[in-house]
Amino acid sequence: MTALFLGSVYAIYSLPTHRGTKIPLIRQWQKNATIDPERIKSWRRQFEQPNFSGLMGPRSRAWALDVDGVIGQASEKDLKATIPFAPGWQTVSGSGIGGHYIFPLSRELSEIGGFTIHNSVGRIAPGIDVRGVGGQ
């Protein structure tokens, strides 16, 4: 899904990154990520073939499972076989094998309940990362 679609439909804030990476092309990316379609279009003109990442956490009210590579795909298959997999908004990664499952982060959990989803690498399963507060 594109940054424009994620911003307009799901209010996922986006930021431009170097092609094939998650390295931001803008300063203060956590603050300057946007859902504004004109700003996203201007970044497409300003930077040479940028990728876009979605800002996870309370601002976008979303968190993600990031499935990386063949190892992540194998872990994803094992997880789906052993536990019910909650429906999410699946997006396709543009920088390699794998993908993302993006889930809503309710206001009740994050602001009222004080529940925070943090970032982790491989803690759930090999090749599966969690992207929460400050993640992309």
Side-chain angles (χ1 to χ4, degrees):
M1 293 184 199
T2 69
L4 291 172
F5 179 80
L6 287 173
S8 65
V9 174
Y10 296 115
I12 302 291
Y13 286 72
S14 294
L15 60 133
T17 59
H18 288 275
R19 187 135 190 91
T21 75
K22 290 184 178 179
I23 299 169
L25 286 164
I26 58 173
R27 295 180 191 271
Q28 298 181 326
W29 58 271
Q30 291 171 328
K31 177 184 168 196
N32 291 320
T34 188
I35 59 173
D36 176 36
E38 294 310 312
R39 185 70 182 131
I40 292 169
K41 289 175 189 175
S42 76
W43 284 334
R44 287 193 186 280
R45 291 187 300 269
Q46 180 181 355
F47 301 110
E48 187 176 330
Q49 296 183 331
N51 281 355
F52 282 85
S53 288
L55 177 67
M56 296 294 105
R59 190 162 169 220
S60 288
R61 292 211 174 125
W63 66 280
L65 288 179
D66 184 357
V67 179
D68 289 330
V70 175
I71 293 171
Q73 287 178 327
S75 292
E76 174 188 19
K77 184 178 178 182
D78 291 344
L79 284 173
K80 284 182 174 181
T82 58
I83 60 172
F85 211 73
W89 312 313
Q90 184 178 11
T91 66
V92 178
S93 174
S95 59
I97 298 172
H100 301 87
Y101 289 92
I102 301 175
F103 300 93
L105 178 61
S106 73
R107 179 179 173 273
E108 290 77 17
L109 280 178
S110 62
E111 295 173 14
I112 298 168
F115 183 79
T116 303
I117 295 177
H118 295 280
N119 299 306
S120 68
V121 176
R123 286 183 68 189
I124 289 179
I128 296 184
D129 305 336
V130 173
R131 300 295 176 218
V133 174
Q136 53 166 312

